[in-house]
Amino acid sequence: MSAAKIDFNDRLLSLGLARVAEQAALASASLVGRGDEKAADQAAVNAMREQLNLLDIAGVVVIGEGERDEAPMLYIGEEVGTGDGPGVDIALDPLEGTTLTAKDMPNALTVIAMGPRGSMLHAPDVYMDKLAVGPGYPDNVVNLDMSPRERVEALAKAKGCAPADITVCILERPRHEAMIAEVRDTGASIRLITDGDVAGVMHCAESEVTGIDMYMGQGGAPEGVLAAAALKCMGGQIFGRLLFRNDDERGRAAKAGITDLDRVYTRDEMVTADVIFAATGVTGGSLLPRIKREPGWVETTTLLMRSKTGSVRRMSYRTPMWSHT
């Protein structure tokens, strides 16, 4: 039987996916705060690839470490798994927040999502203008054509509060200075993050815990697809529009099969079928605690979600330091 004809059994695959995220986090644990981004990322990549190849899937990496000629492992188009299971799309970031890890700053995660073959947008490695809110709001309560001020005011109206009661998460970048000023001018507060915008978007889905109501700004398009997979499980809305700075980037879009360069993608257009999503905390933050190390032992916490059932699990995994399997 061909891989395409084997059903995508998200329930059976979910625990395997959690292990993939866990092992990537464990591999990078000893490099937290050591100042070496490349070593931390490489350790996570190696562990994630090794674990993926143990799963009974015919997997294709659609969001990965880069184009085939730029990344030796987990590159876009790489086939992973034993080949003996269902055909699946895989979106991953073995270490989302390499700088955060190297500096021991909050919200570094290992992140992976899996869905049936053909279910995820093959986003090229370009920027994406993103806007996200959590669950419980009317469809299109905010949109990318609104100004930052209009977004804050529309969300405050829908939430039944003043703009001053809204908190927006934005990547701290020079390109966002005007946006930050306009949001602050409404009275809203801003949580600036230095890296890790998948986590930034996920914060919107648990605003009662994180205090974040909305995410906006320009970041990596691949991370936009990963964030859409997370919100597919957690609830919430995300909108993304690809941004192109030159002909090389437009060429990347063409190579990925994207013809409408101005299209605004919704959550369910970036991720068209039910998915499973796993993330393990590396340095800790509002969503997940950090990896805990004590003499002879290490402990991780993993968020495992299935969009089909809406189930969200937080799983602790404690293991001897010499036995990360």
Side-chain angles (χ1 to χ4, degrees), residues 54-116:
L54 297 176
L55 296 182
D56 284 330
I57 54 171
V60 175
V61 176
V62 298
I63 300 291
E65 287 289 277
E67 306 280 349
R68 184 188 297 261
D69 55 351
E70 296 171 1
M73 285 184 202
L74 298 179
Y75 55 80
I76 296 165
E78 183 174 358
E79 296 183 0
V80 293
T82 64
D84 291 334
V88 297
D89 279 358
I90 295 169
L92 53 82
D93 193 338
L95 188 56
E96 207 236 349
T98 54
T99 304
L100 300 177
T101 303
K103 295 181 177 180
D104 196 1
M105 293 169 67
N107 291 318
L109 307 169
T110 60
V111 182
I112 185 164
M114 183 188 293

Side-chain angles (χ1 to χ4, degrees), residues 15-33:
L15 289 175
L17 201 71
R19 178 163 286 183
V20 173
E22 278 171 359
Q23 296 300 317
L26 287 166
S28 60
S30 63
L31 291 153
V32 171

Side-chain angles (χ1 to χ4, degrees), residues 107 169-173 191-197 199-200 215:
N107 291 318
C169 183
I170 301 177
L171 265 176
E172 188 173 19
R173 297 289 186 273
R191 173 121 21 120
L192 290 172
I193 56 173
T194 58
D195 292 279
D197 64 347
Y215 176 93

Side-chain angles (χ1 to χ4, degrees), residues 43-313:
V45 168
N46 292 348
M48 189 168 272
R49 185 171 185 258
E50 182 181 326
Q51 288 296 315
L52 276 170
N53 283 331
L54 297 176
L55 296 182
D56 284 330
I57 54 171
V60 175
V61 176
V62 298
I63 300 291
E65 287 289 277
E67 306 280 349
R68 184 188 297 261
D69 55 351
E70 296 171 1
M73 285 184 202
L74 298 179
Y75 55 80
I76 296 165
E78 183 174 358
E79 296 183 0
V80 293
T82 64
D84 291 334
V88 297
D89 279 358
I90 295 169
L92 53 82
D93 193 338
L95 188 56
E96 207 236 349
T98 54
T99 304
L100 300 177
T101 303
K103 295 181 177 180
D104 196 1
M105 293 169 67
N107 291 318
L109 307 169
T110 60
V111 182
I112 185 164
M114 183 188 293
R117 181 73 51 81
S119 61
M120 294 185 191
L121 176 68
H122 292 219
D125 192 8
V126 298
Y127 278 133
M128 177 185 274
D129 193 12
K130 304 172 200 174
L131 175 62
V133 295
Y137 295 107
D139 288 346
N140 302 307
V141 62
V142 292
N143 64 62
L144 283 174
D145 293 327
M146 290 176 170
S147 67
R149 171 180 288 279
E150 289 170 334
R151 295 169 186 173
V152 171
E153 290 174 348
L155 191 65
K157 184 178 178 182
K159 192 177 179 183
C161 67
D165 297 321
I166 296 292
T167 301
V168 183
C169 183
I170 301 177
L171 265 176
E172 188 173 19
R173 297 289 186 273
R175 63 180 178 269
H176 291 149
E177 284 175 3
M179 175 184 285
I180 289 166
E182 187 172 338
V183 169
R184 284 194 173 135
D185 195 47
T186 67
S189 61
I190 295 176
R191 173 121 21 120
L192 290 172
I193 56 173
T194 58
D195 292 279
D197 64 347
V198 174
V201 171
M202 289 172 68
H203 279 70
C204 299
E206 295 194 334
S207 59
E208 69 284 354
V209 175
T210 64
I212 303 292
D213 298 292
M214 180 161 48
Y215 176 93
M216 68 173 84
Q218 300 172 11
E223 288 83 0
V225 177
L226 270 165
L231 291 192
K232 186 111 175 169
C233 300
M234 304 174 87
Q237 303 172 53
I238 182 170
F239 305 92
R241 181 192 286 127
L242 298 174
L243 302 172
F244 304 98
R245 295 173 294 183
N246 51 49
D247 287 340
D248 173 61
E249 292 190 350
R250 282 182 278 275
R252 287 177 182 237
K255 189 175 171 186
I258 292 167
T259 53
D260 182 355
L261 302 187
D262 298 316
R263 178 174 175 180
V264 173
Y265 294 90
T266 64
R267 183 194 74 185
D268 293 341
E269 289 168 337
M270 286 191 258
V271 182
T272 60
D274 280 317
V275 292
I276 46 180
F277 180 97
T280 302
V282 176
T283 59
S286 312
L287 285 169
L288 286 161
R290 67 184 292 117
I291 295 172
K292 294 175 188 163
R293 300 175 71 188
E294 55 188 89
W297 295 90
V298 63
E299 185 175 322
T300 61
T301 303
T302 297
L303 185 68
L304 176 63
M305 307 186 289
R306 297 166 59 204
S307 67
K308 186 175 183 179
T309 59
S311 62
V312 177
R313 283 187 174 91

